[in-house]
């Protein structure tokens, strides 16, 4: 069973930066894509970014394109999300998620079968 543990959230001022980490364990060979999603209070969950373990191709939501960089360390089974120029609207719980092995890179949460518990990011104005 794949386990995902997020870390790196916190309180930051608008314009600041954060790096979120997602440590994967328990059979990561059975996954293909690691993604980040977020959910703000009263809003639906939304896709942020995704990366393939193999090859490293990436996908970003328009709302974070140019401000976010997703990367992975295959040796450490860890995926990172660097967020810069943070805005108050970036405030949300950020979740790490993984797809099964043969799923393509996608922004659709329905394809992600494994989810972490989330880490809170709060951006103050």
């Amino acid at each position: 069973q794949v386990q995902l543990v997020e870390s790196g959230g916190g309180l930051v001022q608008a314009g600041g930066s954060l790096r979120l980490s997602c440590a994967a364990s328990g059979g990561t060979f059975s996954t293909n894509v690691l993604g980040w999603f977020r959910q703000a209070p009263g809003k639906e969950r939304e896709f942020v970014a995704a990366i393939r373990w193999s090859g490293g191709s990436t996908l970003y939501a328009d709302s974070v394109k140019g401000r976010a960089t997703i990367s992975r360390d295959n040796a450490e089974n860890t995926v990172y999300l660097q967020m810069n120029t943070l805005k108050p609207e970036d405030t949300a719980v950020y979740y790490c998620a993984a797809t099964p092995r043969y799923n393509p890179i996608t922004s659709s949460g329905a394809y992600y079968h494994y989810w972490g518990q989330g880490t809170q990011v709060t951006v103050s104005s």
Side-chain angles (χ1 to χ4, degrees):
Q1 183 70 15
V2 176
Q3 290 100 37
L4 304 172
V5 179
E6 304 95 336
S7 61
L11 175 64
V12 64
Q13 286 190 330
S17 300
L18 274 179
R19 189 178 80 156
L20 305 181
S21 300
C22 173
S25 62
T28 54
F29 58 87
S30 63
T31 63
N32 186 33
V33 176
L34 261 286
W36 286 95
F37 291 78
R38 65 187 182 186
Q39 187 165 23
K43 294 189 176 182
E44 292 187 355
R45 183 182 64 197
E46 67 170 347
F47 170 76
V48 178
I51 188 167
R52 288 187 62 191
W53 282 119
S54 175
S57 55
T58 58
L59 184 67
Y60 293 94
D62 288 342
S63 59
V64 301
K65 204 170 288 185
R67 300 189 297 121
T69 302
I70 189 169
S71 60
R72 89 266 192 236
D73 183 333
N74 291 55
E76 296 293 329
N77 287 334
T78 300
V79 172
Y80 304 97
L81 181 68
Q82 176 72 39
M83 294 281 291
N84 300 322
T85 319
L86 284 161
K87 306 174 182 179
E89 50 263 44
D90 293 318
T91 295
V93 177
Y94 283 69
Y95 297 93
C96 178
T99 71
R101 184 171 180 83
Y102 296 108
N103 274 28
I105 192 167
T106 177
S107 61
S108 172
Y111 289 92
Y112 291 81
H113 292 193
Y114 311 102
W115 293 83
Q117 294 300 306
T119 185
Q120 176 71 46
V121 172
T122 302
V123 183
S124 63
S125 55

